[in-house]
Each structure stands twice: as C-alpha cells, then as structure tokens.
C-alpha cells in the first residue's frame, strides 16, 4: 500500500484513537461513527488495502485478526455480534486499509444494507 490512510496514521500515532487492544500484528479501537452500542475496528499493522490483496503469507495474520475479533467481542460483554469485512467501495469500504468491524450490543437485522 503506497497511499497514506487514516488507519496508517492511527497506527503511527499521528491520529489518536480509543484503543481497546493492541499487539505486534494489529490494533483495535472504537469506531468514531458507531452503528451499534459496540462498534470496534481491528486493523492489521501490515499495510494491506483489502482482503482481495491478501497473499498466502498473510494467512496467519488474517487468522489472528479473526481470533482477536472474537476475544474483543467477549471482552466487551457481547453474547452475539457481527464480524464484517467490507471489500471495495461498492461493498461499503471507505478506508482502503483492511479492517474488521465487530458490531453488537443490539439486535442486528438481515440483510444489513
């Protein structure tokens, strides 16, 4: 990824966030425009535009992101939640740095949008 994003600026500490989890592979923080009582974003520290840009060597990191999403949901007291990865602008991706949404704390309907 060559283009700077708001998420890469958050990773570098140039923009503050309401951090809920951090390790050597990822950072998680509360969404500034939450769509539910709990809305957390999990971003890899590796600059990856979207899931469609992932390579075989990213499989451990991708698995780690999903495990962290479940850990965070439970840490937030969620019994049920939605885990979302938007891929591409027509799917709702607005920041082109791979990220996972963990959304819960209210009844979620289907289809989502």
């Amino acid at each position: 990824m060559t283009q700077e994003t708001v998420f890469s600026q958050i990773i570098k500490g140039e923009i503050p966030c309401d951090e809920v989890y951090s390790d050597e592979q990822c950072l998680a923080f509360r969404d500034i425009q939450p769509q539910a009582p709990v809305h957390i974003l999990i971003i890899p520290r590796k600059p990856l535009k979207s899931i469609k840009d992932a390579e075989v060597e990213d499989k451990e990191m991708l698995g780690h992101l999903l495990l962290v999403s479940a850990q965070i949901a439970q840490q937030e007291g969620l019994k049920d939640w939605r885990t979302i990865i938007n891929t591409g602008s027509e799917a709702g991706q607005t920041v082109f740095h791979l990220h996972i949404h963990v959304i819960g704390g209210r009844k979620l309907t289907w289809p989502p949008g």
Side-chain angles (χ1 to χ4, degrees), residues 17-100:
C17 68
D18 185 359
E19 182 180 307
V20 296
Y21 180 88
S22 178
D23 66 23
E24 68 284 342
Q25 293 188 65
C26 67
L27 173 65
F29 51 92
R30 297 187 192 286
D31 194 304
I32 61 169
Q33 295 179 322
Q35 302 301 305
V38 175
H39 188 166
I40 294 170
L41 302 175
I42 303 162
I43 60 175
R45 293 187 184 276
K46 176 182 179 177
L48 192 60
K49 187 174 178 179
S50 74
I51 194 76
K52 67 182 167 188
D53 297 307
E55 305 278 340
V56 172
E57 62 266 13
D58 296 318
K59 68 181 178 181
E60 184 178 320
M61 180 265 295
L62 295 171
H64 179 72
L65 294 175
L66 289 173
L67 290 172
V68 166
S69 72
Q71 176 185 332
I72 289 170
Q74 293 167 1
Q75 168 186 307
E76 292 291 314
L78 298 177
K79 179 182 173 205
D80 299 307
W81 66 90
R82 187 168 289 160
T83 306
I84 302 167
I85 301 173
N86 297 317
T87 306
S89 57
E90 289 192 24
Q93 186 177 5
T94 57
V95 178
F96 291 89
H97 182 123
L98 175 67
H99 55 286
I100 296 175

